[in-house]
Amino acid sequence: MTQTQSPARSRTIEWTDPAQHASQLGRRSGLELLSAMAAGELPAPPVMHLIDMVGMDVTEGSVTVYLEPQEFHYNPLGTVHGGVISTLLDTAAACSVHSTLPAGVGYTSLDLTVKFLRPVTVASGRLKTTGSVLQRGRRTALAEARMTDSAGRLVAHATSSCMIFEVPGA
């Protein structure tokens, strides 16, 4: 879009140093770290600000994240971009695994398989994405995430495998 076309909308975001979270890996369990973020005792990671997640609920083995769909989430088709939906699903599934890990142990996603079931728009209302651990071993974990709209309809589903490892120097 050029300057001569219709007026652009804008958005400004702020975030804190993400090293604050990394420094906690050796001192807090995943559940303690995620609970502190959910309670506002630790700042949210930058990605939460970038896509404007509006909250998180944490229990051992399950994490729920929320998002109010906005215009800035849209793709050229006028629906929420699949990358935004995938980010929420990945966050809920992987953080569910994180919630089961002791201090000094980290994880990373190995894969994410997403099924988009309904289009998501501003009219969908608040999205609720709940991740759950299906199985956790010493080296890998399997988790799923389910995204529902404000009417409780399933709009997307994902499964994710995560690799579990000791954090060097933790």
Side-chain angles (χ1 to χ4, degrees), residues 8-165:
R9 292 165 169 86
S10 68
R11 181 170 167 256
T12 303
I13 64 168
E14 295 179 1
W15 63 92
T16 56
D17 182 356
Q20 288 184 27
H21 298 109
S23 70
Q24 298 295 310
L25 288 177
R27 292 187 257 175
R28 296 187 190 203
S29 70
L31 182 60
E32 291 168 337
L33 180 66
L34 292 166
S35 295
M37 287 190 318
E41 297 164 15
L42 278 175
V47 70
M48 288 185 77
H49 296 288
L50 181 64
I51 66 171
D52 207 23
M53 284 188 222
V54 294
M56 177 169 45
D57 297 324
V58 179
T59 61
E60 186 170 0
S62 181
V63 171
T64 300
V65 293
Y66 302 91
L67 180 98
E68 297 283 346
Q70 303 294 321
E71 257 185 4
F72 60 82
H73 295 126
Y74 278 17
N75 61 27
L77 303 174
T79 60
V80 172
H81 191 282
V84 173
I85 293 169
S86 296
T87 298
L88 292 165
L89 292 163
D90 181 56
T91 298
C95 286
S96 294
V97 170
H98 192 190
S99 73
T100 68
L101 302 178
V105 177
Y107 71 96
T108 189
S109 296
L110 290 170
D111 61 31
L112 181 71
T113 302
V114 176
K115 300 294 183 197
F116 303 102
L117 305 172
R118 295 177 175 274
V120 176
T121 66
V122 170
S124 299
R126 179 176 274 204
L127 301 175
K128 175 182 179 182
T129 308
T130 301
S132 302
V133 175
L134 299 174
Q135 187 277 334
R136 193 191 116 202
R138 288 184 315 109
R139 302 261 191 236
T140 62
L142 176 65
E144 71 171 347
R146 300 170 56 85
M147 178 183 289
T148 56
D149 62 14
S150 63
R153 295 176 298 203
L154 185 65
V155 298
H157 177 267
T159 56
S160 175
S161 299
C162 293
M163 178 172 60
I164 299 169
F165 55 87

